[in-house]
Amino acid sequence: MRDVRLPRLLVGGLLWAGVSVASAEAPAVSFRADVVPILNAHCVACHLTGQEQGGVALHARAAPANLVGVASEQSPLLRVQPGEPGRSYLFHKLNDTHLDVGGEGGPMPMGRSLDPEQIAVIARWIEQGAHTD
Ligand code: HEC
């Protein structure tokens, strides 16, 4: 009996390992768990009420309504076009490609830049539909 069960366990284990490797390549991004901490640490100090330059409030409760499907002030793009980082002005401001898409001003966060991994998290969030629940 044992020699029948053992291979099954092995196969199951390998399948499971395969699934985790696949999901590690494109993990689902959570707005609250992954995006909000980046905004809090690097953006909210300057984008608190939306009355500041740029006109965009980025604290957790305001960010969805200030980003998703909302026209940017500086370019013809929406700040976040769900599913399309390349058509989202937010992504271009982080990536320093905003001038190429008709934008203006400096890259964000002003005076610094995010780690490539943090930019990738935001790009994936947009790509996965920019859900904010
Ligand atoms: C030190 C202050 C400061 C920090 C930190 C900062 N910003 Fe800004 N942001 C500005 C100013 C000032 C402008 C307007 C001038 C410009 O774009 O250079 C602006 C403009 C923007 C715009 C353009 C809005 C539009 O509709 O055109 C976006 C988007 C933006 N910021 C996002 C962010 C994000 C996301 C972060 C964090 C990763 C961030 N900013 C961090 C000061 C800041």
Side-chain angles (χ1 to χ4, degrees), residues 7-18:
R8 279 203 187 156
L9 281 175
L10 276 174
V11 168
L14 288 172
L15 278 177
W16 183 84

Side-chain angles (χ1 to χ4, degrees), residues 38-39 42-47 53-56 58 67 71-75 79 89-90 93-94 104-110 112 114:
I38 297 175
L39 299 178
H42 302 280
C43 318
V44 167
C46 293
H47 295 287
Q53 258 191 302
V56 53
L58 291 176
L67 291 176
S72 69
E73 290 191 343
Q74 303 178 344
S75 84
R79 287 171 177 162
Y89 191 58
L90 170 70
K93 284 291 259 187
L94 298 176
E104 60 186 50
M108 292 293 134
M110 180 166 266
R112 283 172 289 141
L114 295 182

